């Protein structure tokens, strides 16, 4: 039995329990009685032909962009990855920066969304000679919406896009205040866009929002709509199966009883992993990542809300050495976490071995070790009552945000696009990764710092800033909210100029940033799981779409 002095004071918290019960434990595979797979293949072929047919007809290029946009918003981009890449490359080669078709905002958004660095100078076309936005744009709701969405692809220093964002946001707010002036669909569109722009939305949630809207448009493409609905349900079935599989794994360790001090968030972590990639080919990676995130939650709470300083020193050392031998002196629950980690990594080791990539696991463990060491330094600061400078704080806490480790873990089993150099790139802290980690840290601190400071917890970025610059809290909130937007601009820029890794790798970073906008916007939805997140999870993992 390990040493467990009864008078140990632990910084425990009463975290809300999981809201899900065991409902995701059982999954029953449905037979394909109605030949849905064949139907999907036929529909895919039809859409594929349509994309390719419009490619070589310049007159049709504006429509081609509309088709690509609809496919993406309907959540079925993964069916046409090759064709869409070919289409976007073709448009870029044909026009470069000089698009001359209709729908400039859509063209700009899609080019940047696909990694083509087109100049924002073209957006000056929305201004008149005096530098004001044209009168014709003022009441063009669709045009305002398109321009608004395009501005979220800006990089630092693009004044025209900053101006366009201010202008369109104000106009859309004004129009939304007078809903009688427009139809209700458009009004719903405006409110949704103002709440969260397209660039920050998770593709699966956007598909659910967009499908009924698209259906109501008289000009909609029936094949595309049908494919979107069937495709959504097919993927949902796979996702449910994955969740059931990892839930069984989780149950074996009886987390709620064995680790009652920690947040039990497997389902939410699966949602998080699903935000990083929803595509079928990433099934193994997704199931691993969901468990990595769940383990990170247990680790976070062990460091922040359970372990004593002395215990954490031993625990950290044991993890760094990756050896069970030094665990004797630890409480049973820390031993359990250790066994869970070992079990998880052994499983991934087997998966990677089958792919001939067993050596990749070492990189994931190295990233985890760095992450754990950052937790230990935070524990040391808390133990010593040390309030770091803003610079010291961010240097450490962008690692303790867990996003660098999460990103490295997300690469496991992703396939041949992941090479040794992909992991090595992450370890150099490239600006793309750093911007995403900083965004994660700041968004987290903005919504969690008040609650965390009620117990013994490392100072948040907010406290450090207030302490160092002697400024009021609201000033720091304003500054940090601006910093979040600046981080997005950096992510945009780096995603356009970074040539060290391939596009699917860059998309993981963008999706991690998007996940923050869902889980940590305005409140900590992850710890305090409320109606909004429950509805997201139910819509993605419980209710099928009626076809
Ligand atoms: C990205 C990762 C690794 C997610 C796993 C879950 C997790 C640790 C969330 C942050 O919790 P928190 O708000 O308590 O974090 P902190 O203690 O860093 O403020």
């Amino acid at each position: 039995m390990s040493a467990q002095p009864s008078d140990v004071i632990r910084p425990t918290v009463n975290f809300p329990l999981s809201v899900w019960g065991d409902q995701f434990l059982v999954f029953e595979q449905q037979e394909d009685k109605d030949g849905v797979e064949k139907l999907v293949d036929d529909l895919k072929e039809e859409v594929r032909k349509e994309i390719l047919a419009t490619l070589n007809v310049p007159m049709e290029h504006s429509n081609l962009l509309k088709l690509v946009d609809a496919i993406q918003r309907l959540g079925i981009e993964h069916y046409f990855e090759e064709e869409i890449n070919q289409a976007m490359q073709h448009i870029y080669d044909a026009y470069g920066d000089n698009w001359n078709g209709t729908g400039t905002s859509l063209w700009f958004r899609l080019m940047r969304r696909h990694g083509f660095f087109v100049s924002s100078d073209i957006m000056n076309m929305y201004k008149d000679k005096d530098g004001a936005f044209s009168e014709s744009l003022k009441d063009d709701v669709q045009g305002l919406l398109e321009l608004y969405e395009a501005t979220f692809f800006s990089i630092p220093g693009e004044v025209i896009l900053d101006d366009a964002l201010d202008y369109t946001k104000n106009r859309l707010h004004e129009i939304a205040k007078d809903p009688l002036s427009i139809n209700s669909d458009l009004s719903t569109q405006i409110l949704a866009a103002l709440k969260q722009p397209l660039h920050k939305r998770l593709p699966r949630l956007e598909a659910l929002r967009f499908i009924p809207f698209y259906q109501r448009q008289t000009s909609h493409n029936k094949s595309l709509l049908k494919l979107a609905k069937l495709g959504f349900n097919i993927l949902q079935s796979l996702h449910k199966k994955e969740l059931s599989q990892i839930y069984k794994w989780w149950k074996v360790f009886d987390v709620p009883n064995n680790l009652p001090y920690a947040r039990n968030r497997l389902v939410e972590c699966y949602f998080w992993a699903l935000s990083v990639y929803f595509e079928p080919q990433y099934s193994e990676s997704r199931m691993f990542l969901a468990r990595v995130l769940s383990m990170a939650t247990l680790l976070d709470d062990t460091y922040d809300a359970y372990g004593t300083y002395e215990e954490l020193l031993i625990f950290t050392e044991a993890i760094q050495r990756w050896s069970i031998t030094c665990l004797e002196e630890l409480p049973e629950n820390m031993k359990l976490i250790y066994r869970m980690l070992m079990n998880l990594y052994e499983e991934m080791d087997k998966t990677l071995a089958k792919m001939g990539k067993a050596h990749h696991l070492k990189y994931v463990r190295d990233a985890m070790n760095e992450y754990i060491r950052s937790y230990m330094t935070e524990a040391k600061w808390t133990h010593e009552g040390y309030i770091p400078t803003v610079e010291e704080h961010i240097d450490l806490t962008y690692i303790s945000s867990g996003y660098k480790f999460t990103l490295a873990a997300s690469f496991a089993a992703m396939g041949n696009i992941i090479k040794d150099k992909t992991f090595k790139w992450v370890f150099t802290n490239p600006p793309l990764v750093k911007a995403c980690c900083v965004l994660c840290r700041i968004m987290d601190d903005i919504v969690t710092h008040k609650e965390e400071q009620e117990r013994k917890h490392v100072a948040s970025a907010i406290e450090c800033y207030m302490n160092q610059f002697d400024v009021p809290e609201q000033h720091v909130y304003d500054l940090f909210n601006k910093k979040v937007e600046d981080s997005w601009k950096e992510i945009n820029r780096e995603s356009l100029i970074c040539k060290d890794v391939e596009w699917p790798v860059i998309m993981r970073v963008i999706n991690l940033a998007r996940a923050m906008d869902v889980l940590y916007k305005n409140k900590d939805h992850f710890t305090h799981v409320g109606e909004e997140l429950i509805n997201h999870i139910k819509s993605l993992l419980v209710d099928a779409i009626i076809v």
Side-chain angles (χ1 to χ4, degrees), residues 15 263 269 272 292-294 296-298 300-301 304 371 375 378 400-403 405-406 440-441 444-445 448 452 455 457-458 512 516 520 524 526-527:
F15 287 123
R263 287 167 292 181
C269 288
W272 207 326
V292 163
L293 288 163
S294 308
T297 314
L298 300 182
D300 188 60
D301 293 338
D304 282 354
Y371 167 61
Y375 273 178
E378 284 187 0
S400 73
S401 75
Y403 253 19
F405 166 44
T406 305
C440 172
R441 167 50 59 208
D444 179 310
D445 277 2
T448 64
E452 284 172 351
R455 60 189 145 115
H457 192 283
V458 71
L512 280 169
M516 287 306 293
Y520 285 88
D524 174 0
F526 179 75
T527 302

Side-chain angles (χ1 to χ4, degrees), residues 148 190-197 201 517 521-522 532 536:
Y148 169 82
I190 294 177
L191 293 177
L194 289 172
K195 186 165 181 238
Q196 189 179 45
R201 291 188 203 157
D517 208 73
K521 179 83 156 287
N522 303 328
E532 198 170 321
H536 287 334

